[in-house]
Amino acid sequence: MAETGATAFPPTPPPHSPVRRAERFVWLTARVLEQRRFAHHFRGAAADPVETALDAYRNEDGGYGHALEPDLRGPVSQPLHTAHALRVLDAVGRCTGQRVERMCRYLTSVSTADGALPAIHPSQRDYPTAPFVPVVDDPPSDLLATGPVVGLLHRNEVWHAWLFRATDFCWRAVESLEKSHPYEIEAAVTFLDSAPDRPRAEAAADRLGRLVRDHRLAALDPDGLDAYPVSPGYAPGEHHFPYDYARTPRSLARAWFTDDEMARSLDHLAAQQQEDGGWPVRWRHWAPAPALEARPLVTIEALRVLSAYGRAID
């Protein structure tokens, strides 16, 4: 008989299941934050340890740094680090309270003249940065940085003065997209999935879906990747698939793809798990530590996508 008050954990998955293999990989390679995220998402552990681990990356200005986003090294707060922190908090149901209020104050302090976020604040200049992330003195507003932040704040019903102009920027940017690339489209989807004006969001998403298909920005046949161009500046073979845009069945981007196209992309994702239990990083590798730290992130997200679509991972 179980001892009274004992913590109940889900049964341990079979040793060769995708999640069990990934768990070994995470314990061998991951930072404490990803270890605790894995335990929360797949082993029934509490959210508090995730928040505690995330605090190690927080700065006094309310932003996040310390290579939370592995391709930006150094201690300084950056919008991309802070967006990463919001994703973590959203995933564990803790995107509320004073912590998020402080984050919004930081976002306000680094916003551009039109109230949006730059991808990289110039304070990054003194620290190592991925060569595909340029640091400039007067960075422009960037949908890739702003869209996910605004979307997650709306999703969690966070209201702050910063959101008004930033939301307006996202609408203008999304509705004016004519030629784009996968990461920018994915940022737009994160915004549209939680934007308050649902009819407007659905109309914008429908237009983006046509753009993605017309420009072949999603590889619909994993067995014929040569038919799909890789966007300029991306790594060789850095294709994006339907699951990259529609990370859950509830995403507006799910309507862009047929059931067969989505199933094939999920089959391809499941097959990408490597012998060591982790999933590969598809973007350009530029230093050992960022590549090592990114793989557990990619692995957790792969398992979450598969689980969201009801694929067996245990």
Coordinates of all heavy atoms in Angstrom, one line a residue, residues 171-254:
W171 N 0.1 43.6 -36.2 CA -0.9 43.6 -37.2 C -0.4 44.1 -38.6 O -0.6 43.6 -39.6 CB -2.2 44.4 -36.8 CG -3.1 43.6 -35.9 CD1 -3.5 44.0 -34.6 CD2 -3.7 42.4 -36.1 NE1 -4.4 43.1 -34.1 CE2 -4.5 42.1 -35.0 CE3 -3.7 41.5 -37.2 CZ2 -5.3 40.9 -34.9 CZ3 -4.5 40.3 -37.1 CH2 -5.3 40.1 -36.0
R172 N 0.3 45.3 -38.5 CA 0.8 45.9 -39.7 C 1.8 45.0 -40.4 O 1.8 44.8 -41.6 CB 1.4 47.3 -39.4 CG 0.5 48.4 -39.0 CD 1.2 49.7 -39.0 NE 2.4 49.8 -38.2 CZ 2.4 50.1 -36.9 NH1 1.2 50.4 -36.2 NH2 3.5 50.2 -36.2
A173 N 2.7 44.4 -39.6 CA 3.8 43.6 -40.1 C 3.2 42.3 -40.7 O 3.6 41.9 -41.9 CB 4.8 43.2 -39.0
V174 N 2.3 41.7 -40.1 CA 1.7 40.4 -40.6 C 0.9 40.7 -41.8 O 1.0 39.9 -42.8 CB 0.8 39.8 -39.5 CG1 0.0 38.6 -40.1 CG2 1.7 39.2 -38.3
E175 N 0.1 41.7 -41.8 CA -0.8 41.9 -43.0 C -0.1 42.5 -44.2 O -0.7 42.6 -45.3 CB -2.0 42.8 -42.5 CG -2.9 42.1 -41.5 CD -4.0 43.0 -41.0 OE1 -3.8 44.2 -41.0 OE2 -5.0 42.4 -40.5
S176 N 1.2 42.9 -44.0 CA 1.9 43.4 -45.1 C 2.9 42.4 -45.7 O 3.6 42.7 -46.6 CB 2.6 44.7 -44.8 OG 3.6 44.5 -43.7
L177 N 3.0 41.3 -45.1 CA 4.0 40.3 -45.5 C 3.7 39.8 -46.9 O 2.6 39.4 -47.2 CB 4.0 39.0 -44.6 CG 4.7 39.2 -43.2 CD1 4.6 37.9 -42.5 CD2 6.2 39.5 -43.4
E178 N 4.7 39.9 -47.8 CA 4.5 39.4 -49.2 C 5.6 38.4 -49.5 O 5.3 37.4 -50.2 CB 4.6 40.6 -50.2 CG 3.5 41.6 -50.0 CD 2.1 41.1 -50.4 OE1 2.1 40.0 -51.1 OE2 1.1 41.6 -50.0
K179 N 6.8 38.6 -49.0 CA 7.9 37.7 -49.2 C 8.5 37.5 -47.8 O 8.8 38.4 -47.2 CB 8.9 38.2 -50.2 CG 9.9 37.1 -50.6 CD 10.9 37.6 -51.7 CE 11.9 36.6 -52.0 NZ 12.8 37.0 -53.1
S180 N 8.6 36.2 -47.4 CA 9.0 36.0 -46.0 C 9.9 34.7 -46.0 O 10.3 34.2 -47.0 CB 7.8 35.9 -45.1 OG 8.2 35.8 -43.8
H181 N 10.1 34.3 -44.8 CA 10.9 33.1 -44.6 C 10.3 32.3 -43.4 O 9.5 32.9 -42.6 CB 12.4 33.4 -44.3 CG 12.6 34.3 -43.2 ND1 12.9 33.8 -41.9 CD2 12.6 35.6 -43.0 CE1 13.1 34.8 -41.1 NE2 12.9 35.9 -41.7
P182 N 10.6 31.0 -43.2 CA 9.8 30.2 -42.3 C 9.8 30.8 -40.8 O 8.7 30.8 -40.2 CB 10.5 28.9 -42.3 CG 11.0 28.8 -43.7 CD 11.4 30.2 -44.1
Y183 N 10.9 31.2 -40.3 CA 10.9 31.7 -38.9 C 10.0 32.9 -38.7 O 9.4 33.0 -37.7 CB 12.4 32.0 -38.4 CG 13.2 30.7 -38.2 CD1 14.4 30.6 -39.0 CD2 12.8 29.7 -37.4 CE1 15.2 29.4 -38.8 CE2 13.6 28.6 -37.2 CZ 14.8 28.5 -37.9 OH 15.5 27.3 -37.8
E184 N 10.0 33.8 -39.7 CA 9.1 34.9 -39.6 C 7.7 34.5 -39.7 O 6.8 35.1 -38.9 CB 9.4 36.0 -40.7 CG 8.7 37.3 -40.5 CD 9.2 38.3 -41.5 OE1 9.2 38.0 -42.7 OE2 9.5 39.4 -41.1
I185 N 7.3 33.6 -40.5 CA 6.0 33.1 -40.6 C 5.6 32.4 -39.3 O 4.4 32.6 -38.8 CB 5.8 32.1 -41.8 CG1 6.1 32.8 -43.1 CG2 4.4 31.5 -41.7 CD1 5.0 33.8 -43.5
E186 N 6.5 31.6 -38.7 CA 6.2 31.0 -37.4 C 5.9 32.0 -36.3 O 5.0 31.8 -35.5 CB 7.3 30.1 -37.0 CG 7.4 28.8 -37.9 CD 8.7 28.1 -37.8 OE1 9.4 28.3 -36.7 OE2 9.1 27.4 -38.7
A187 N 6.7 33.1 -36.3 CA 6.4 34.2 -35.4 C 5.1 34.8 -35.6 O 4.3 35.1 -34.6 CB 7.5 35.3 -35.5
A188 N 4.7 35.0 -36.8 CA 3.4 35.5 -37.2 C 2.3 34.6 -36.7 O 1.2 35.1 -36.1 CB 3.3 35.8 -38.7
V189 N 2.4 33.3 -36.8 CA 1.4 32.3 -36.4 C 1.3 32.4 -34.9 O 0.1 32.4 -34.3 CB 1.8 30.9 -36.8 CG1 0.9 29.9 -36.1 CG2 1.7 30.8 -38.3
T190 N 2.4 32.5 -34.1 CA 2.3 32.6 -32.7 C 1.5 33.8 -32.3 O 0.7 33.8 -31.3 CB 3.7 32.7 -32.0 OG1 4.4 31.5 -32.4 CG2 3.6 32.7 -30.5
F191 N 1.7 35.0 -33.0 CA 0.8 36.1 -32.7 C -0.6 35.9 -33.1 O -1.5 36.1 -32.3 CB 1.4 37.3 -33.5 CG 0.4 38.5 -33.6 CD1 0.2 39.2 -32.4 CD2 -0.2 38.8 -34.8 CE1 -0.7 40.3 -32.5 CE2 -1.1 39.9 -34.8 CZ -1.4 40.6 -33.7
L192 N -0.9 35.4 -34.3 CA -2.3 35.2 -34.7 C -3.0 34.2 -33.9 O -4.3 34.3 -33.7 CB -2.3 34.8 -36.2 CG -1.8 35.9 -37.2 CD1 -1.7 35.3 -38.6 CD2 -2.6 37.1 -37.2
D193 N -2.4 33.2 -33.4 CA -3.1 32.1 -32.6 C -3.7 32.7 -31.4 O -4.6 32.1 -30.8 CB -2.1 31.0 -32.3 CG -2.0 30.0 -33.4 OD1 -2.8 30.0 -34.3 OD2 -1.0 29.2 -33.3
S194 N -3.2 33.8 -30.9 CA -3.8 34.4 -29.6 C -4.2 35.8 -29.7 O -4.6 36.5 -28.7 CB -2.7 34.3 -28.5 OG -2.4 32.9 -28.3
A195 N -4.1 36.4 -30.9 CA -4.5 37.8 -31.1 C -6.0 38.0 -30.7 O -6.8 37.1 -31.1 CB -4.3 38.3 -32.5
P196 N -6.4 39.1 -30.1 CA -7.8 39.2 -29.6 C -8.8 39.3 -30.7 O -9.9 38.8 -30.5 CB -7.7 40.5 -28.8 CG -6.3 40.7 -28.4 CD -5.5 40.1 -29.6
D197 N -8.5 39.9 -31.8 CA -9.5 40.0 -32.9 C -9.5 38.7 -33.7 O -8.7 38.6 -34.7 CB -9.1 41.2 -33.7 CG -10.2 41.5 -34.8 OD1 -11.0 40.6 -35.1 OD2 -10.2 42.7 -35.3
R198 N -10.4 37.8 -33.4 CA -10.3 36.4 -34.0 C -10.7 36.5 -35.5 O -10.0 35.8 -36.3 CB -11.2 35.4 -33.2 CG -10.8 35.2 -31.8 CD -9.3 35.1 -31.6 NE -8.8 33.9 -32.3 CZ -7.5 33.7 -32.7 NH1 -6.7 34.7 -32.5 NH2 -7.2 32.6 -33.3
P199 N -11.7 37.2 -35.9 CA -12.0 37.2 -37.3 C -10.8 37.7 -38.2 O -10.5 37.2 -39.2 CB -13.2 38.0 -37.5 CG -13.9 37.9 -36.1 CD -12.8 37.8 -35.1
R200 N -10.2 38.8 -37.6 CA -9.1 39.4 -38.3 C -7.9 38.4 -38.4 O -7.2 38.3 -39.4 CB -8.7 40.7 -37.7 CG -7.6 41.5 -38.4 CD -7.3 42.8 -37.6 NE -6.3 43.6 -38.3 CZ -5.9 44.8 -37.9 NH1 -6.3 45.3 -36.7 NH2 -4.9 45.5 -38.5
A201 N -7.7 37.7 -37.3 CA -6.6 36.7 -37.2 C -6.8 35.6 -38.2 O -5.9 35.1 -38.8 CB -6.4 36.2 -35.8
E202 N -8.0 35.1 -38.3 CA -8.3 34.0 -39.2 C -8.1 34.4 -40.6 O -7.6 33.6 -41.4 CB -9.8 33.5 -38.9 CG -9.9 32.8 -37.6 CD -11.4 32.7 -37.2 OE1 -12.3 33.0 -38.0 OE2 -11.6 32.2 -36.1
A203 N -8.5 35.7 -41.0 CA -8.3 36.1 -42.3 C -6.8 36.3 -42.7 O -6.4 35.9 -43.7 CB -9.0 37.5 -42.5
A204 N -6.1 36.8 -41.7 CA -4.6 37.0 -41.9 C -3.9 35.6 -42.0 O -3.0 35.4 -42.9 CB -4.0 37.8 -40.8
A205 N -4.4 34.7 -41.2 CA -3.8 33.3 -41.3 C -4.1 32.6 -42.6 O -3.2 32.0 -43.2 CB -4.3 32.5 -40.1
D206 N -5.3 32.8 -43.1 CA -5.6 32.2 -44.4 C -4.7 32.8 -45.5 O -4.3 32.0 -46.3 CB -7.1 32.5 -44.7 CG -7.6 31.9 -46.0 OD1 -7.6 30.6 -46.0 OD2 -7.9 32.6 -46.9
R207 N -4.5 34.1 -45.5 CA -3.6 34.7 -46.5 C -2.2 34.1 -46.3 O -1.5 33.8 -47.3 CB -3.6 36.2 -46.4 CG -2.9 36.9 -47.5 CD -2.9 38.4 -47.3 NE -1.9 38.8 -46.2 CZ -0.6 39.0 -46.4 NH1 -0.1 38.8 -47.6 NH2 0.1 39.3 -45.5
L208 N -1.7 34.0 -45.1 CA -0.3 33.5 -44.9 C -0.2 32.0 -45.3 O 0.9 31.6 -45.8 CB 0.1 33.6 -43.4 CG 0.4 35.0 -42.9 CD1 0.9 34.9 -41.4 CD2 1.4 35.7 -43.8
G209 N -1.2 31.3 -45.1 CA -1.2 29.9 -45.5 C -1.0 29.8 -47.1 O -0.3 28.9 -47.5
R210 N -1.7 30.6 -47.8 CA -1.5 30.6 -49.2 C -0.1 31.0 -49.6 O 0.5 30.5 -50.5 CB -2.5 31.6 -49.9 CG -4.0 31.0 -49.8 CD -4.9 31.8 -50.7 NE -5.0 33.2 -50.4 CZ -5.8 33.8 -49.6 NH1 -6.7 33.0 -48.9 NH2 -5.8 35.1 -49.4
L211 N 0.5 32.0 -48.9 CA 1.8 32.5 -49.1 C 2.8 31.3 -48.9 O 3.7 31.1 -49.7 CB 2.2 33.7 -48.2 CG 3.5 34.4 -48.4 CD1 3.4 35.8 -48.0 CD2 4.6 33.7 -47.6
V212 N 2.6 30.6 -47.8 CA 3.5 29.5 -47.5 C 3.5 28.4 -48.6 O 4.5 27.9 -49.0 CB 3.1 28.9 -46.1 CG1 3.8 27.5 -45.9 CG2 3.5 29.8 -45.0
R213 N 2.3 28.1 -49.1 CA 2.2 27.1 -50.1 C 2.7 27.6 -51.4 O 3.4 26.9 -52.2 CB 0.8 26.6 -50.2 CG 0.3 25.9 -48.9 CD -1.1 25.3 -49.1 NE -1.0 24.1 -49.9 CZ -0.9 22.8 -49.4 NH1 -0.8 22.6 -48.1 NH2 -0.8 21.8 -50.2
D214 N 2.4 28.8 -51.8 CA 2.8 29.4 -53.1 C 4.3 29.5 -53.2 O 4.9 29.3 -54.2 CB 2.2 30.8 -53.3 CG 0.7 30.7 -53.6 OD1 0.2 29.6 -53.8 OD2 0.0 31.8 -53.5
H215 N 5.0 29.8 -52.0 CA 6.4 30.0 -52.0 C 7.2 28.8 -51.6 O 8.4 28.8 -51.4 CB 6.8 31.2 -51.2 CG 6.4 32.5 -51.7 ND1 7.2 33.4 -52.3 CD2 5.1 33.1 -51.8 CE1 6.6 34.5 -52.7 NE2 5.3 34.3 -52.4
R216 N 6.4 27.7 -51.4 CA 7.0 26.4 -51.0 C 7.9 26.5 -49.7 O 9.0 26.0 -49.6 CB 7.8 25.8 -52.1 CG 6.9 25.3 -53.3 CD 7.7 24.6 -54.4 NE 8.7 25.6 -55.0 CZ 9.7 25.2 -55.7 NH1 10.0 23.9 -55.9 NH2 10.6 26.1 -56.2
L217 N 7.3 27.2 -48.7 CA 8.1 27.4 -47.5 C 7.9 26.3 -46.5 O 8.5 26.2 -45.4 CB 7.6 28.7 -46.8 CG 7.9 30.0 -47.6 CD1 7.4 31.2 -46.8 CD2 9.4 30.1 -47.9
A218 N 7.0 25.3 -46.8 CA 6.8 24.1 -46.1 C 7.1 22.9 -46.9 O 6.5 22.8 -48.0 CB 5.4 24.0 -45.5
A219 N 8.0 22.0 -46.5 CA 8.3 20.8 -47.2 C 7.1 19.8 -47.0 O 7.0 19.2 -45.9 CB 9.6 20.2 -46.8
L220 N 6.3 19.6 -48.0 CA 5.1 18.8 -47.8 C 5.4 17.3 -48.1 O 4.6 16.5 -47.7 CB 4.0 19.3 -48.8 CG 3.6 20.8 -48.6 CD1 2.5 21.2 -49.6 CD2 3.1 21.0 -47.2
D221 N 6.5 17.0 -48.8 CA 6.9 15.7 -49.0 C 8.3 15.4 -48.5 O 9.3 15.8 -49.1 CB 6.9 15.4 -50.5 CG 7.3 14.0 -50.9 OD1 7.4 13.1 -49.9 OD2 7.4 13.7 -52.1
P222 N 8.4 14.9 -47.3 CA 9.7 14.7 -46.7 C 10.6 13.8 -47.5 O 11.8 13.8 -47.3 CB 9.4 14.0 -45.3 CG 8.0 14.4 -45.0 CD 7.3 14.5 -46.4
D223 N 10.0 13.0 -48.4 CA 10.9 12.1 -49.2 C 11.3 12.8 -50.5 O 12.1 12.2 -51.3 CB 10.1 10.8 -49.6 CG 9.7 10.0 -48.4 OD1 10.6 9.9 -47.5 OD2 8.7 9.4 -48.4
G224 N 10.9 14.0 -50.7 CA 11.3 14.8 -51.9 C 11.7 16.2 -51.6 O 11.3 17.1 -52.2
L225 N 12.7 16.3 -50.7 CA 13.1 17.6 -50.2 C 13.8 18.5 -51.2 O 13.8 19.7 -51.1 CB 14.0 17.4 -49.0 CG 13.3 16.8 -47.7 CD1 14.3 16.7 -46.6 CD2 12.1 17.7 -47.3
D226 N 14.3 17.9 -52.3 CA 15.0 18.7 -53.3 C 14.0 19.6 -54.0 O 14.4 20.6 -54.6 CB 15.6 17.8 -54.3 CG 16.9 17.0 -53.8 OD1 17.3 17.5 -52.7 OD2 17.3 16.1 -54.4
A227 N 12.7 19.3 -53.9 CA 11.7 20.1 -54.6 C 11.4 21.4 -53.8 O 10.6 22.3 -54.3 CB 10.4 19.3 -54.8
Y228 N 11.9 21.5 -52.6 CA 11.6 22.7 -51.7 C 12.9 23.5 -51.5 O 13.9 23.0 -50.9 CB 11.0 22.2 -50.4 CG 9.7 21.4 -50.6 CD1 9.8 20.0 -50.8 CD2 8.5 22.0 -50.8 CE1 8.6 19.2 -51.0 CE2 7.3 21.3 -51.0 CZ 7.4 19.9 -51.1 OH 6.3 19.2 -51.4
P229 N 12.9 24.8 -51.8 CA 14.1 25.6 -51.6 C 14.3 25.9 -50.1 O 13.4 25.9 -49.3 CB 13.7 26.9 -52.4 CG 12.2 27.0 -52.3 CD 11.7 25.5 -52.4
V230 N 15.6 26.0 -49.8 CA 16.0 26.5 -48.5 C 16.1 28.0 -48.5 O 16.7 28.5 -49.4 CB 17.3 25.8 -48.0 CG1 17.8 26.4 -46.7 CG2 17.1 24.3 -47.9
S231 N 15.5 28.7 -47.5 CA 15.6 30.1 -47.5 C 17.0 30.7 -47.5 O 17.8 30.1 -46.8 CB 14.7 30.7 -46.4 OG 13.4 30.4 -46.6
P232 N 17.2 31.8 -48.1 CA 18.6 32.4 -48.0 C 19.0 32.6 -46.6 O 18.3 33.1 -45.7 CB 18.4 33.8 -48.7 CG 17.2 33.5 -49.7 CD 16.3 32.6 -48.9
G233 N 20.3 32.3 -46.3 CA 20.9 32.5 -45.0 C 20.7 31.3 -44.1 O 21.3 31.2 -43.0
Y234 N 19.8 30.3 -44.5 CA 19.6 29.2 -43.7 C 20.7 28.1 -43.9 O 21.4 28.2 -44.9 CB 18.2 28.5 -44.0 CG 17.0 29.3 -43.4 CD1 17.0 30.6 -43.2 CD2 15.9 28.6 -43.1 CE1 15.9 31.3 -42.7 CE2 14.8 29.2 -42.6 CZ 14.8 30.6 -42.4 OH 13.7 31.2 -41.8
A235 N 20.8 27.2 -43.0 CA 21.8 26.1 -43.2 C 21.4 25.2 -44.3 O 20.2 25.1 -44.6 CB 21.9 25.3 -41.9
P236 N 22.3 24.5 -45.0 CA 22.0 23.6 -46.0 C 21.0 22.5 -45.4 O 21.2 22.0 -44.3 CB 23.3 22.9 -46.4 CG 24.3 24.0 -46.0 CD 23.8 24.7 -44.8
G237 N 19.9 22.3 -46.1 CA 18.9 21.3 -45.6 C 18.0 21.7 -44.5 O 17.3 20.9 -43.9
E238 N 18.0 23.0 -44.2 CA 17.2 23.5 -43.1 C 15.8 23.8 -43.6 O 15.3 24.9 -43.7 CB 17.8 24.8 -42.5 CG 17.2 25.3 -41.2 CD 17.8 26.5 -40.6 OE1 18.8 27.0 -41.1 OE2 17.2 27.1 -39.7
H239 N 15.1 22.7 -43.9 CA 13.7 22.8 -44.3 C 12.8 22.9 -43.1 O 13.1 22.5 -42.0 CB 13.3 21.5 -45.1 CG 14.1 21.4 -46.4 ND1 15.2 20.6 -46.5 CD2 13.8 21.9 -47.6 CE1 15.6 20.6 -47.8 NE2 14.8 21.4 -48.5
H240 N 11.6 23.5 -43.4 CA 10.6 23.5 -42.4 C 9.4 22.8 -42.9 O 9.1 22.7 -44.1 CB 10.2 25.0 -42.1 CG 11.3 25.7 -41.3 ND1 11.0 26.3 -40.1 CD2 12.6 25.8 -41.6 CE1 12.2 26.9 -39.7 NE2 13.1 26.6 -40.5
F241 N 8.7 22.1 -41.9 CA 7.6 21.2 -42.2 C 6.3 21.7 -41.6 O 6.3 22.6 -40.8 CB 8.0 19.8 -41.7 CG 9.3 19.3 -42.2 CD1 10.5 19.6 -41.6 CD2 9.3 18.5 -43.4 CE1 11.7 19.1 -42.2 CE2 10.4 18.0 -43.9 CZ 11.7 18.3 -43.3
P242 N 5.2 21.1 -42.0 CA 3.9 21.5 -41.5 C 3.9 21.6 -40.0 O 3.3 22.5 -39.4 CB 2.9 20.4 -42.0 CG 3.5 20.1 -43.4 CD 5.0 20.1 -43.1
Y243 N 4.5 20.7 -39.2 CA 4.4 20.7 -37.8 C 5.2 21.9 -37.2 O 4.9 22.3 -36.1 CB 5.0 19.4 -37.2 CG 6.5 19.2 -37.4 CD1 7.5 19.8 -36.8 CD2 6.8 18.2 -38.4 CE1 8.8 19.6 -37.0 CE2 8.2 18.0 -38.7 CZ 9.1 18.6 -38.0 OH 10.5 18.4 -38.3
D244 N 6.1 22.5 -38.0 CA 6.8 23.7 -37.5 C 5.9 24.9 -37.4 O 6.1 25.8 -36.6 CB 8.0 24.1 -38.4 CG 9.2 23.1 -38.3 OD1 9.6 22.9 -37.2 OD2 9.6 22.5 -39.3
Y245 N 4.9 25.0 -38.3 CA 3.9 26.1 -38.3 C 2.8 25.8 -37.4 O 2.3 26.7 -36.7 CB 3.4 26.3 -39.7 CG 4.5 26.7 -40.7 CD1 5.1 25.7 -41.6 CD2 5.0 28.0 -40.8 CE1 6.1 26.0 -42.4 CE2 6.1 28.3 -41.7 CZ 6.6 27.3 -42.5 OH 7.6 27.6 -43.4
A246 N 2.2 24.6 -37.5 CA 1.1 24.2 -36.6 C 1.6 23.2 -35.6 O 1.5 22.0 -35.7 CB 0.0 23.5 -37.5
R247 N 2.1 23.8 -34.5 CA 2.7 23.0 -33.4 C 1.7 22.3 -32.6 O 2.0 21.4 -31.8 CB 3.6 23.8 -32.6 CG 4.7 24.5 -33.4 CD 5.8 25.1 -32.6 NE 6.7 24.1 -32.1 CZ 7.7 23.5 -32.8 NH1 7.9 23.9 -34.1 NH2 8.4 22.6 -32.3
T248 N 0.4 22.7 -32.7 CA -0.7 21.9 -32.0 C -1.8 21.9 -33.0 O -1.9 22.7 -33.9 CB -1.2 22.6 -30.7 OG1 -2.0 23.7 -31.0 CG2 0.0 23.0 -29.8
P249 N -2.8 20.9 -32.9 CA -3.9 20.9 -33.8 C -4.8 22.1 -33.7 O -5.6 22.4 -34.6 CB -4.7 19.6 -33.3 CG -3.7 18.8 -32.6 CD -2.7 19.8 -31.9
R250 N -4.7 22.9 -32.6 CA -5.5 24.1 -32.4 C -5.0 25.3 -33.1 O -5.6 26.3 -33.2 CB -5.6 24.4 -30.9 CG -6.3 23.3 -30.1 CD -6.4 23.7 -28.6 NE -5.1 24.0 -28.0 CZ -4.2 23.1 -27.6 NH1 -4.6 21.8 -27.6 NH2 -3.1 23.4 -27.0
S251 N -3.8 25.3 -33.6 CA -3.2 26.4 -34.3 C -3.9 26.7 -35.6 O -4.4 25.9 -36.3 CB -1.7 26.1 -34.7 OG -1.2 27.2 -35.5
L252 N -4.1 28.0 -35.9 CA -4.7 28.4 -37.2 C -3.9 27.9 -38.4 O -4.5 27.6 -39.4 CB -4.7 30.0 -37.3 CG -5.6 30.7 -36.3 CD1 -5.4 32.2 -36.4 CD2 -7.1 30.4 -36.6
A253 N -2.6 27.6 -38.2 CA -1.9 27.1 -39.3 C -2.2 25.6 -39.6 O -1.8 25.1 -40.7 CB -0.4 27.2 -39.0
R254 N -2.9 24.9 -38.8 CA -3.3 23.6 -39.1 C -4.1 23.5 -40.3 O -4.1 22.5 -41.1 CB -4.0 22.9 -37.9 CG -4.5 21.5 -38.1 CD -3.4 20.6 -38.4 NE -3.9 19.2 -38.7 CZ -4.2 18.8 -39.9 NH1 -4.1 19.7 -41.0 NH2 -4.7 17.6 -40.2

